[in-house]
Amino acid sequence: ELPELISKKWIARGYYIAAFIGIIPAVVFSIPLFILIPVAYGVVVLIRFRKTRYAEYKQLAKIISYVSLIVGIVIPILFIFQTKPQSFNAVGISGLLFLAIPLSYLYTIGRYRLLDLNFRVRRNTQYSLFTFFWGTAVIYLLVWVFFKIPQMDLPNASIIFTGASIEINSTSDIAGDTVSAEHVLLMLLGISATFGFLKLRKIGQTFIDKKYFRTQYDYRKASRDLGKLLATTLSMEQLAHDLVEKLAELMKLKRVGVVFFRDEKCCACQEAFGFDGKEWKEFCLGQEKQLIEAIKQFQHEFVVDYLPTPFKESFVKEGFHYIIPVRSKEKLLGVLLVGEKQSETTFLQ
């Protein structure tokens, strides 16, 4: 909210007036271009009061500004290039584009938790939706190309194919096994379009996978990096710090923690990645003996829910899901604590 704009009542009323002026001729006289009058009015208001926007407001309204700018440029172009009423429905396309503006507001409200609203679609759900829409869009374009290819003006010739040669002749009544060049070109264009769109889908899917941290683990790189880390780090504190950072990088984790024990009796050091971890460290030091005894019951990785109540509540509060005991000759050296993946998907073995 910009107080200087809210204090001027005519600005809000002007939107209603501009909408009324624009919608009447658009509906009564079938002049759809007048629908842009409220948009033009909004642009004038933004330009007139651009200096009243502070830095935080500009950051919040960045997506809205970009979307509005794109819509404001594309819609007039649609109407300019609509030479025939039957060429395409510019009004219908404009309506769909206009929907992007309220959607940008909805995104901004959810992204920055404005208006006391707090809703969020989990990242794995977003990934599924984007994957579905991208695949659907590629298939739609491929089908559209298949219907457009037969309408192309292709050369009319005959092709004679033998085991040793291919002959192309403009004469249509040649004896023997002849094939229309048009049919061959249609087939080649169809195959090319299919492989081209499959490649396009793969490129887009790779981008989505990278954006949502769905790329596969490079186990060889992980083994090499961790081996180098263990071989070059001398102090235990530095080892703990570097270890959680490296694990978070390799496994794309939101939070990682490590606790080293001394002689299975006390905590030698502890480190966390992804949050401050001050309270968690104090808790570990205050309950170190009970924590060590609780973890010694497990030989392999386990869910934090299996821990006694105080430890379970503390680890869940800090966002840890799994605990992996680190042993050497049956001696408990420490534990790794793993939080949620950045992709927000479940863990595999």
Side-chain angles (χ1 to χ4, degrees), residues 1-3 50-60:
E1 296 181 349
L2 298 175
R50 65 186 183 279
K51 294 183 179 180
T52 63
R53 295 180 292 174
Y54 44 91
E56 184 182 1
Y57 178 86
K58 292 178 181 178
Q59 177 63 30
L60 295 177

Side-chain angles (χ1 to χ4, degrees), residues 243-262:
L243 184 61
V244 292
E245 285 194 347
K246 181 58 67 175
L247 286 174
E249 174 194 342
L250 292 172
M251 296 185 65
K252 303 296 185 292
L253 300 171
K254 291 182 178 180
R255 293 188 175 186
V256 189
V258 62
V259 183
F260 290 142
F261 302 132
R262 182 179 289 111

Side-chain angles (χ1 to χ4, degrees), residues 114-132:
L114 306 176
L115 307 179
D116 294 329
L117 295 178
N118 184 11
F119 60 92
R120 179 177 176 273
V121 179
R122 285 184 62 81
R123 193 167 284 170
N124 55 350
T125 304
Q126 295 178 33
Y127 173 81
S128 300
L129 290 173
F130 278 117
T131 299
F132 171 77

Side-chain angles (χ1 to χ4, degrees), residues 179-334:
V179 179
S180 172
E182 184 179 12
H183 295 165
V184 175
L185 287 174
L186 284 173
M187 182 178 64
L188 293 175
L189 288 173
I191 294 173
S192 301
T194 301
F195 280 99
F197 278 101
L198 286 175
K199 183 67 175 178
L200 178 64
R201 182 186 181 280
K202 185 177 179 180
I203 293 172
Q205 191 62 47
T206 301
F207 174 78
I208 295 173
D209 290 345
K210 186 176 181 180
K211 194 73 175 176
Y212 284 89
F213 307 101
R214 291 298 189 98
T215 53
Q216 294 184 345
Y217 293 143
D218 188 340
Y219 292 100
R220 183 174 297 178
K221 180 180 183 299
S223 177
R224 184 174 60 250
D225 289 356
L226 289 173
K228 182 179 179 181
L229 176 68
L230 294 170
T232 56
T233 307
L234 298 178
S235 69
M236 188 176 292
E237 289 76 12
Q238 189 64 38
L239 174 62
H241 179 268
D242 294 347
L243 184 61
V244 292
E245 285 194 347
K246 181 58 67 175
L247 286 174
E249 174 194 342
L250 292 172
M251 296 185 65
K252 303 296 185 292
L253 300 171
K254 291 182 178 180
R255 293 188 175 186
V256 189
V258 62
V259 183
F260 290 142
F261 302 132
R262 182 179 289 111
D263 298 328
E264 296 186 331
K265 294 179 181 179
C266 61
C267 294
C269 73
Q270 57 279 330
E271 191 65 50
F273 175 87
F275 68 110
D276 178 33
K278 184 177 179 181
E279 294 183 6
W280 171 73
K281 292 177 183 178
E282 293 176 353
F283 175 81
C284 290
L285 291 174
Q287 307 284 335
E288 53 188 359
K289 291 183 179 179
Q290 297 90 329
L291 176 62
I292 293 170
E293 290 300 321
I295 295 175
K296 285 173 67 176
Q297 309 301 318
F298 302 92
Q299 294 295 322
H300 305 287
E301 69 276 358
F302 61 96
V303 184
V304 296
D305 292 338
Y306 291 126
L307 287 173
T309 302
F311 301 111
K312 178 179 71 174
E313 291 177 351
S314 176
F315 289 157
V316 170
K317 177 184 175 183
E318 302 300 347
F320 294 125
H321 292 179
Y322 292 91
I323 296 179
I324 301 96
V326 180
R327 298 178 182 274
S328 176
K329 299 179 180 179
E330 299 303 318
K331 183 179 180 180
L332 184 64
L333 301 180

